[in-house]
Amino acid sequence: MASVELPEPAVDGSTSIERAIATRQSRRSFARTPIEIEDVSQILWAAQGCTHERDGVEMRAAPSAGATYPLTVFLEVAPSGSEQLTPGLYRYESERHGLEATLETAIHDEFAAASLGQAVVDTAPVTVVLTADYDRTCRQYPTHGERYVHMEAGHVAENVHLVCESRRLNTCPVGAFSERDLADALSLPDRLAPLYLLPVGHPSSLPG
Ligand SMILES: Cc1cc2nc3c(=O)[nH]c(=O)nc-3n(C[C@H](O)[C@H](O)[C@H](O)COP(=O)(O)O)c2cc1C
């Protein structure tokens, strides 16, 4: 399986956080243009990249209850979605800021079908897939862990959304999907539950 090193993410940009918040909206139409690897790098870093160290542990771009880090982030690449990544599924590895292919065949049709056939997923060149291992957080927080995991997914999704906004990329959070069909399409291990989809693409000339 392919292992991909991502370009160094930028820690500065030309769009202010206020501007990105002010202009952010869900945008559901995409040009048929592949996504550049620099955009992939920046988006995944914003999702779960390592940003600082505490007591010898690498901490990440989004907060996590008790630093339990229950989320695993994948990137689904549609046919012609990227010039550098072959179609399939990749797991983001935070500590080395790289991708590990987990499926090297196009799974796009099953993936889009599992997302209830939503065009926003079907037409996206790439989709960030947030999955969770609830046990990681629930072991430490038996009564609140599940809620914490969902809160964390929200943090990650907003980071991705704002980075897309600052890079003039379209995205829309997608929570409507069949959990079972999605887990099957992505061949997820049993411990990982799919939580949230963030399809990303260049703006098309169509509105929204
Ligand atoms: C948890 C959640 C799930 C969502 N699921 C979907 C979805 O499955 N499909 C979709 O087109 N939009 C989805 N959305 C986007 C909302 O429709 C959108 O955020 C809302 O209409 C507000 O518009 P705005 O994001 O442009 O401010 C979802 C948003 C959230 C927060």
Side-chain angles (χ1 to χ4, degrees):
M1 290 282 186
S3 190
V4 179
E5 203 176 313
L6 291 170
E8 196 66 23
V11 291
D12 212 343
S14 55
T15 308
S16 70
I17 195 77
E18 291 83 357
R19 170 62 50 194
I21 292 169
T23 59
R24 182 217 63 83
Q25 51 180 279
S26 296
R27 303 180 206 275
R28 298 179 176 80
S29 70
F30 305 113
R32 288 181 172 276
T33 318
I35 290 292
E36 294 75 16
I37 198 79
E38 289 75 16
D39 287 327
V40 166
S41 166
Q42 203 65 39
I43 286 166
L44 294 175
W45 172 80
Q48 281 291 271
C50 293
T51 49
H52 56 292
E53 209 185 284
R54 191 194 298 155
D55 302 330
V57 178
E58 294 283 357
M59 311 299 269
R60 302 186 188 172
S64 175
T68 47
Y69 296 120
L71 303 182
T72 298
V73 177
F74 292 85
L75 186 78
E76 190 267 341
V77 178
S80 309
S82 161
E83 286 176 356
Q84 293 90 0
L85 300 169
T86 52
L89 190 71
Y90 298 79
R91 188 181 58 245
Y92 176 60
E93 303 203 324
S94 302
E95 294 200 2
R96 70 174 187 89
H97 189 57
L99 291 172
E100 203 63 39
T102 60
L103 292 172
E104 287 180 312
T105 52
I107 49 158
H108 193 70
D109 290 348
E110 301 94 289
F111 178 62
S115 314
L116 313 182
Q118 293 190 66
V120 65
V121 175
D122 193 26
T123 57
V126 299
T127 297
V128 176
V129 181
L130 306 187
T131 71
D133 178 350
Y134 284 97
D135 280 354
R136 283 185 69 93
T137 305
C138 291
R139 265 198 304 271
Q140 193 160 327
Y141 303 104
T143 53
H144 298 83
E146 191 175 323
R147 195 147 48 90
Y148 289 167
V149 171
H150 298 162
M151 291 171 178
E152 183 168 335
H155 285 296
V156 170
E158 188 67 358
N159 276 6
V160 168
H161 213 145
L162 292 177
V163 159
C164 286
E165 196 61 32
S166 80
R167 298 177 80 84
R168 311 283 184 272
L169 293 167
N170 282 3
T171 187
C172 169
V174 169
F177 53 77
S178 155
E179 199 175 319
R180 174 159 296 274
D181 292 353
L182 200 61
D184 285 349
L186 304 179
S187 301
L188 291 180
D190 287 346
R191 68 187 170 80
L192 291 181
L195 271 192
Y196 219 1
L197 306 177
L198 308 163
V200 176
H202 289 281
S204 78
S205 48
L206 299 170

